[in-house]
Amino acid sequence: MRRGPIHDDDDDHHDAAVARKGRVVTATGGWPELIRCTTTTPPPSRLPPILLDELIEEILLRIPARSLVRLRDRICSSWRTLISSSQFAKQHLRRSTTVDPTLTPPLIAYYCIGYACPTIGVFSVPSPVENPPHEPTKVVPYKGRRPRSIIDSCNGLLCLYNVERDDGGLRHGAMLWNPCIGSTSQPVEIGGPLSVSGFGYDHVNDKYKLFGRVYKKSGEYVSRIITFGPNITWRTIEDFSCSMPSPHGTFSLVSSVGIFVNGTGTLNWIFHDCFRYVVVRSLDLVKETYNQFPLPDRDLDDDCFMSPHLCILRGCLAACYENKRTHWTVWLMKEYGVPQSWTKLVVIPHHPLLVNPLAGSPLQPIYIFKNNVLLAKAPNHKFVLLNLNDGSIDFPNIDSSNDGMPKLRPLSKGLSSRNFQLCHESLVSPSHLGLQSCSSEMRLVKPSL
């Protein structure tokens, strides 16, 4: 069954002719989407202007990743070579994350944590905001050969964790997958189950790394960093303890998966104690050392304590607190690692449709759109759109009927038994890292007729 990117069904067609080295191509849509190529030279009187290779590349860098994947396989070999190259993928990623963040919209990938299901569902993040209520956001399912979970994502790559049984017992492995281009790496042996993990990018050494606190058969834990490359290596570092001393007792780990902050090369975890003191412990993937810093102070008279949610918003480390059982406060760390740079982004009042005193979970921001709409997981176990300008809320219509998880309730009715991961589309391929690809690992599930 064919693998490939998530299909975009809303292509507009506005013809414009472009030529490159005697090839006539047609550009369509708001972006120059090229769909035809011929080497036939037209009569001299009708020759279009010739575009230089450098200009062609500049044009392609301004096209969304999913459109470039279609161009890669439908135009000429020189374009396929360019779009498939690691250098072009890095340039496109840099542009889409720094120069024009709206160029490639993010995705949400999710898997089932309630039972063994080999399917991963993916849908576009802007779609719930842009679609009218009668046009639900469609989930695109990908299917693998065995159950998997998602550790984290970075630069369009998702790090998947899987467990297999063979004659020697259970084998624990990790693999990289880019759902936009449909490329998957062969699984990498981890050596045991993970109790704490994180995946990120070492921007100094241009390396993707997986951190894992691995439980060994001897009953001990060992903390390792696995570096993905032609020769996959792992290095044992100082052990990551799930508890550490606090001024009033002991700090305990809140979530086992570290939050990666791009540009800093760090993974971040929240620790808290019974006296409501909260700190962030970080792992520097470049130096492979630990550090820690405090979160914003809480009001002394605040009797509501729920561990804050750590996430990434607008490219910065962010934390969402519930305060005094009346509102949530979202903070941004404008300068990473500097506690004085915590800045209050927004205060969100409690809403009757959001609050669930029995849920025991905080409001979890996912993504902020430029029109100040926040997509979040609410304590009522639903996705919610919060308009930060007028305070209105809406529950997006997400059609998960074909996600291959029939035992779960539809996403429009609840998010329970699912784990979600934000992922930005990119052209970065595991093959760019020197990893051997595996074409049969993850593939699109074609809808039944």
Side-chain angles (χ1 to χ4, degrees):
M1 195 170 287
R2 181 175 61 88
R3 299 177 301 123
I6 296 175
H7 295 288
D8 187 355
D9 297 326
D10 299 324
D11 295 332
D12 296 326
H13 298 281
H14 304 289
D15 291 341
V18 185
R20 178 175 181 264
K21 292 187 176 180
R23 296 177 176 85
V24 178
V25 294
T26 300
T28 64
W31 300 100
E33 178 170 309
L34 309 177
I35 61 173
R36 182 171 59 87
C37 181
T38 176
T39 57
T40 302
T41 303
S45 60
R46 294 179 4 203
L47 275 174
I50 295 177
L51 297 181
L52 298 176
D53 289 350
E54 293 79 4
L55 183 55
I56 290 289
E57 183 172 347
E58 283 299 317
I59 293 174
L60 294 179
L61 286 172
R62 288 163 170 78
I63 299 178
R66 70 174 68 181
S67 297
L68 286 172
V69 173
R70 292 197 299 271
L71 295 181
R72 178 192 62 186
D73 300 325
R74 297 181 184 180
I75 312 298
C76 41
S77 60
S78 60
W79 285 39
R80 181 166 58 251
T81 300
L82 174 63
I83 295 172
S84 301
S85 69
S86 61
Q87 185 60 35
F88 182 85
K90 290 179 181 179
Q91 291 177 341
H92 189 273
L93 176 65
R94 189 179 304 114
R95 180 174 184 84
S96 62
T97 55
T98 58
V99 179
D100 184 10
T102 63
L103 179 60
T104 53
L107 309 172
I108 286 181
Y110 66 92
Y111 64 94
C112 174
I113 57 177
Y115 67 98
C117 178
T119 306
I120 292 179
V122 180
F123 64 90
S124 170
V125 171
S127 180
V129 179
E130 299 168 351
N131 282 356
H134 63 278
E135 295 182 9
T137 294
K138 294 288 186 179
V139 171
V140 179
Y142 286 81
K143 188 174 183 179
R145 296 185 304 179
R146 51 189 174 272
R148 290 188 179 87
S149 63
I150 303 173
I151 294 178
D152 205 345
S153 70
C154 175
N155 294 342
L157 294 172
L158 283 93
C159 186
L160 308 181
Y161 172 61
N162 62 281
V163 181
E164 291 184 302
R165 184 179 295 277
D166 60 15
D167 296 338
L170 296 179
R171 297 179 59 188
H172 301 263
M175 57 187 290
L176 303 185
W177 171 51
N178 185 326
C180 179
I181 64 176
S183 181
T184 310
S185 71
Q186 291 278 12
V188 175
E189 191 77 26
I190 293 177
L194 296 175
S195 64
V196 182
S197 60
F199 172 66
Y201 177 61
D202 173 355
H203 58 289
V204 174
N205 299 300
D206 190 23
K207 299 290 185 181
Y208 288 85
K209 296 181 176 181
L210 168 64
F211 166 78
R213 189 171 189 252
V214 181
Y215 181 75
K216 306 296 292 181
K217 292 181 179 179
S218 61
E220 299 177 338
Y221 287 93
V222 59
S223 296
R224 294 175 172 172
I225 290 182
I226 297 175
T227 301
F228 294 96
N231 299 310
I232 296 173
T233 62
W234 60 266
R235 168 182 164 85
T236 300
I237 63 173
E238 178 188 347
D239 187 41
F240 182 100
S241 176
C242 294
S243 63
M244 54 185 181
S246 80
H248 303 279
T250 302
F251 283 122
S252 299
L253 179 67
V254 174
S255 177
S256 62
V257 179
I259 302 299
F260 177 69
V261 184
N262 222 334
T264 69
T266 62
L267 297 170
N268 301 265
W269 294 263
I270 283 183
F271 283 73
H272 75 127
D273 65 12
C274 58
F275 288 87
R276 302 185 178 90
Y277 290 92
V278 186
V279 298
V280 172
R281 190 179 192 191
S282 67
L283 169 61
D284 189 325
L285 292 175
V286 180
K287 300 177 181 178
E288 299 182 351
T289 57
Y290 301 106
N291 195 6
Q292 70 181 57
F293 51 84
L295 265 71
D297 293 332
R298 305 177 68 93
D299 293 339
L300 296 178
D301 60 345
D302 191 349
D303 63 349
C304 172
F305 177 68
M306 181 177 292
S307 297
H309 175 70
L310 203 64
C311 60
I312 301 296
L313 294 174
R314 293 178 176 170
C316 298
L317 190 67
C320 182
Y321 281 93
E322 185 174 13
N323 300 103
K324 300 183 178 180
R325 308 180 193 275
T326 60
H327 62 279
W328 296 281
T329 304
V330 180
W331 297 80
L332 287 186
M333 194 174 212
K334 292 295 187 67
E335 185 177 351
Y336 178 80
V338 180
Q340 295 77 12
S341 69
W342 282 113
T343 303
K344 188 179 295 185
L345 175 65
V346 64
V347 175
I348 304 171
H350 275 190
H351 192 286
L353 295 178
L354 299 181
V355 177
N356 182 357
L358 302 179
S361 59
L363 181 73
Q364 301 180 24
I366 297 176
Y367 193 75
I368 294 183
F369 300 87
K370 58 183 178 181
N371 58 350
N372 287 322
V373 174
L374 179 71
L375 176 65
K377 288 175 59 181
N380 65 358
H381 300 298
K382 289 185 177 182
F383 280 126
V384 60
L385 296 174
L386 297 164
N387 191 311
L388 304 181
N389 289 327
D390 59 19
S392 62
I393 70 170
D394 190 19
F395 298 99
N397 185 5
I398 301 175
D399 181 6
S400 61
S401 58
N402 292 319
D403 68 359
M405 307 177 194
K407 294 184 180 181
L408 302 185
R409 299 175 64 196
L411 273 180
S412 58
K413 295 185 179 181
L415 311 180
S416 58
S417 299
R418 295 177 176 92
N419 196 304
F420 299 86
Q421 180 63 54
L422 186 72
C423 176
H424 288 267
E425 291 185 330
S426 82
L427 300 171
V428 178
S429 170
S431 63
H432 296 160
L433 315 181
L435 298 173
Q436 184 178 357
S437 63
C438 184
S439 59
S440 63
E441 287 298 329
M442 296 299 297
R443 61 187 186 276
L444 273 171
V445 178
K446 291 184 178 179
S448 57
L449 299 177

